[in-house]
Amino acid sequence: MNKIPCDIIRDLLPLYKDDVCSRNSKDLIEEHLSDCEDCRRYLDALDMELPFITLSSDSTAPTDGIDPQSLEDIEIFKKIAHRINWMKVSIGFFTMLITVMIISLITSVFDDFYLEIPGFDRRIATDDIQVTALYQLENGDLFLTLESSVPFNITAYGLISSPDGRPYTESYDNGQSCLSFERVSVLERIFADHVNCRKYSFVIPRQETLDPEKYLDIYPEDPADTGLSSVVHRNSLIYYEGKHDEQLIIWKAGQEVSLAPAAIEKKVRQKQYEARDEGDKTNLLWPEE
């Protein structure tokens, strides 16, 4: 049998070193190593940390007992390993990025569903919320200020809904207004500059009236043809809903509330003036300094 060239043996040595080659290949490699000192040195070099070696451009003599061709082959293996490591880092980064995007999509599309999944409910607990102001305005609406121990996003506020599931197109006297905040994510803290507020004030109406002429899209027919009158929703409860659906009652029907000071009445009128160009907006909110 002809002697196997050294370059072929050196290509097989990493497999031999990791004991993943066949029995026949192992026998051939060991037979070659018994007669080839250069390949034995190459095998030994695979287990050592190579020092930085500089060869002159015209030098072909071995350095530190290893010939230049062996050094070149080992450097190729090191470059391949380095590239594989970078590929692993890149794959890990893009996997994490895709995971974050998928979670964001799920939380935006399945808003109610994800709150029931442990670890995904980012609503701020009721223990971390304080009602720092509650007044009745001249027109009967309620002014309130909520403060959180951590920065938050507002996910719900102001809508007077029916607790027994009656449609919004009908009048009801037992309406409820829910406010809910969720924690600001790490990405939002980094890339958004408007989510660092911990304190907001709200104006919640005691009663809202929907003019059928302005809400034709929620009526099956023209109000003039059906004889429908204006739809009235009266508030009977305002509450904050936090983590695990815990509720903090802010106000309920029959509760006595102090009249708002003149300074608050003035602030509310100013906010209403600023918001009038945005349309017929009953509910107001703004961050406090």
Side-chain angles (χ1 to χ4, degrees), residues 4-61:
I4 301 176
C6 290
D7 56 348
I8 295 179
I9 292 296
R10 291 173 183 176
D11 289 341
L12 297 174
L13 282 179
L15 302 178
Y16 173 80
K17 176 177 175 295
D18 293 334
D19 196 21
V20 293
C21 59
S22 67
R23 180 70 255 179
N24 290 336
S25 297
K26 187 174 182 181
D27 292 340
L28 291 175
I29 292 172
E30 290 178 347
E31 181 181 353
H32 180 92
L33 291 175
S34 64
D35 296 328
C36 182
E37 183 177 357
D38 287 342
C39 288
R40 290 199 300 271
R41 290 174 179 171
Y42 185 92
L43 177 61
D44 294 337
L46 293 178
D47 294 322
M48 67 175 62
E49 184 71 24
L50 291 178
F52 181 77
I53 300 174
T54 303
L55 297 176
S56 59
S57 59
D58 58 348
S59 175
T60 58

Side-chain angles (χ1 to χ4, degrees), residues 33-132:
L33 291 175
S34 64
D35 296 328
C36 182
E37 183 177 357
D38 287 342
C39 288
R40 290 199 300 271
R41 290 174 179 171
Y42 185 92
L43 177 61
D44 294 337
L46 293 178
D47 294 322
M48 67 175 62
E49 184 71 24
L50 291 178
F52 181 77
I53 300 174
T54 303
L55 297 176
S56 59
S57 59
D58 58 348
S59 175
T60 58
T63 303
D64 292 343
I66 304 176
D67 64 86
Q69 181 61 44
S70 299
L71 291 175
E72 182 179 349
D73 292 341
I74 294 173
E75 286 300 321
I76 291 175
F77 281 116
K78 291 175 69 177
K79 290 179 179 179
I80 293 174
H82 182 72
R83 182 171 297 179
I84 291 175
N85 288 335
W86 269 109
M87 289 177 62
K88 289 180 179 179
V89 172
S90 299
I91 292 173
F93 172 78
F94 283 108
T95 300
M96 180 183 68
L97 183 61
I98 292 173
T99 301
V100 171
M101 293 174 64
I102 292 175
I103 291 175
S104 299
L105 178 62
I106 292 175
T107 56
S108 60
V109 175
F110 303 100
D111 187 48
D112 295 329
F113 171 74
Y114 86 91
L115 294 178
E116 305 297 331
I117 304 176
F120 283 82
D121 190 348
R122 294 196 299 153
R123 290 176 296 180
I124 298 176
T126 55
D127 292 341
D128 295 324
I129 296 294
Q130 288 186 335
V131 181
T132 58

Side-chain angles (χ1 to χ4, degrees), residues 183-200:
R183 292 177 180 271
V184 176
S185 67
V186 175
L187 291 178
E188 288 172 325
R189 293 191 184 205
I190 296 174
F191 296 107
D193 58 357
H194 64 283
V195 291
N196 295 319
C197 189
R198 301 168 185 252
K199 188 176 181 181
Y200 259 82

